[in-house]
Amino acid sequence: MTDATTLYQQLGEGAGIATVVDRLYELIIGDETLAPYFATTRLVEQKRHMALFLAAATGGPNGYKGLDLDAAHSGRGITDEDFDKVIGYAAQALSEAGVAPETIEQVAGALMPLRAQVVTAAANA
Ligand code: HEM
């Protein structure tokens, strides 16, 4: 591969991302502090949207047609702690899939700037 190898390619493209997303939601739903957010969620759809979102965010095809992240998370009261846990679970799922640590760092680096769109809990005031 050349220097132009995208993160998407390093993750194993669509199939690799699908495996990681399956494991990510297993970890999220297995966490009693995160599971309630997804109580009424259709997980099959959610995983499909997340996989398409991640493909686009890592330099792959731009097939994501869901809500923008502000709208998707607005009013849900998601905290910084929740966000950090989800990033941690994403890193765990990537690691279990055999993704290299440097690549995991890069994925986390691509996700961190999304915090402001996802964290919707009122700041302590
Ligand atoms: C970088 C981190 C995150 C990304 C990239 C992300 C991405 C997404 C995407 C793509 C959707 C689908 C929107 C749609 O269907 O139109 C979504 C929905 C959602 N996200 Fe996130 N998310 C992140 C973090 C979180 C966190 C930390 C929580 C809470 C623990 C959360 C809870 C939800 C919920 C509850 C929904 C709606 C599910 C439903 O339709 O029932 N997300 N997110």
Side-chain angles (χ1 to χ4, degrees), residues 37-38 41 46 49-50 53 64 66-67 73 76 78 86 118:
Y37 288 106
F38 298 90
T41 298
Q46 176 67 12
H49 279 179
M50 180 61 109
F53 181 88
Y64 179 66
L67 296 171
H73 300 94
R76 297 188 185 276
I78 297 168
V86 167
V118 172

Side-chain angles (χ1 to χ4, degrees), residues 12-106:
E13 306 198 347
I17 289 176
T19 301
V20 168
V21 168
D22 272 348
R23 180 62 178 141
L24 171 60
Y25 280 98
E26 205 173 273
L27 291 165
I28 289 175
I29 299 304
D31 183 317
E32 64 186 18
T33 66
L34 300 181
Y37 288 106
F38 298 90
T40 61
T41 298
R42 294 166 60 204
L43 277 181
V44 171
E45 274 297 284
Q46 176 67 12
K47 287 188 210 172
R48 198 174 63 83
H49 279 179
M50 180 61 109
L52 288 170
F53 181 88
L54 290 177
T58 54
N62 189 3
Y64 179 66
K65 304 238 179 337
L67 296 171
D68 71 45
L69 287 201
D70 277 315
H73 300 94
S74 145
R76 297 188 185 276
I78 297 168
T79 66
D80 275 307
E81 199 184 356
D82 297 329
F83 184 85
D84 290 336
K85 276 191 169 181
V86 167
I87 297 293
Y89 286 141
Q92 182 180 335
L94 288 160
S95 173
E96 287 177 11
V99 173
E102 313 81 71
T103 306
I104 296 175
E105 282 297 308
Q106 287 180 56

